[in-house]
Amino acid sequence: MSYPPPPGQQPNPYSAPQQGGQGAPYGYPGQGAGQSGYNQPGYQQPGYNQPGYGYPGGVPPYPGGPGAGMQPTVSMPGQVVTARVLLFVAGALWALLAVLIFFVGLVANDAVNDIPGVDAAGGAALGVAFFGLLIFGGLAALHIVPASMFGKGRIGTRVTAIIAASVNALLPLLGCFGALGSAVGGEDAASIFFWYILWLATAVVTLVFCCLSPASQWFNRPQY
């Protein structure tokens, strides 16, 4: 008849199997008593800068998962910022010109209506004013709308900005040819030519900056 072992000598069912007469500590199979796993050959202590450190299972968060909202801030390239500012300036000037032409048309209509027998001329002046407001207002919108969408816009915003800059460069180019072929001479012709050249230069700079690689990378960047 066998008796259970006395208290204190019962075998521990959770202990690891013994090797070579020495009990291996729990969680370190194959190591002898008194040996530490941190001093074994091939052991590498986890570093704080290792990829995935601090995440469960050592796996960083995937896009759309927990923690994925903390994305690094990406700043707009300098060329894109410059093109955006120039588009805003060109759009503001076109809008100012549209309002000015409409105001002049209204004043001309009122002045002509005071003269008897020339009512048709007043209506024509008002029609020209509305036409100028439509044309120049559209040019203003063509510049301002894409410029306001540079922050979150995609490839369509870039294409629209290129079209706006191309139109804005074509008009002063035609004006330069007209100024050169006109009979106006002296300081007036030089002043008009200078403003056309300045206008053309800003439009070309906008067009080039929108076509460069930084602009392509900016408008094709991943957005979460």
Side-chain angles (χ1 to χ4, degrees), residues 73-96:
T73 303
V74 180
S75 59
M76 188 180 298
Q79 295 91 335
V80 180
V81 174
T82 304
R84 186 183 193 183
V85 172
L86 292 176
L87 284 173
F88 272 126
V89 172
L93 292 177
W94 282 117
L96 181 62

Side-chain angles (χ1 to χ4, degrees), residues 60-161:
Y62 54 88
M70 302 175 60
Q71 299 295 334
T73 303
V74 180
S75 59
M76 188 180 298
Q79 295 91 335
V80 180
V81 174
T82 304
R84 186 183 193 183
V85 172
L86 292 176
L87 284 173
F88 272 126
V89 172
L93 292 177
W94 282 117
L96 181 62
L97 184 60
V99 173
L100 181 61
I101 289 179
F102 184 69
F103 179 75
V104 170
L106 291 179
V107 172
N109 183 37
D110 293 338
V112 171
N113 286 336
D114 294 337
I115 303 174
V118 289
D119 295 338
L126 191 59
V128 172
F130 275 111
F131 183 76
L133 179 65
L134 180 63
I135 295 298
F136 296 118
L139 289 173
L142 183 63
H143 289 76
I144 294 176
V145 171
S148 63
M149 298 175 61
F150 267 38
K152 297 182 178 180
R154 305 298 292 175
I155 188 64
T157 303
R158 183 190 178 202
V159 171
T160 308

Side-chain angles (χ1 to χ4, degrees), residues 11-33:
N12 187 4
Y14 300 102
S15 61
Q18 298 183 0
Q19 298 179 0
Q22 295 180 349
Y26 180 73
Y28 296 88
Q31 296 177 357

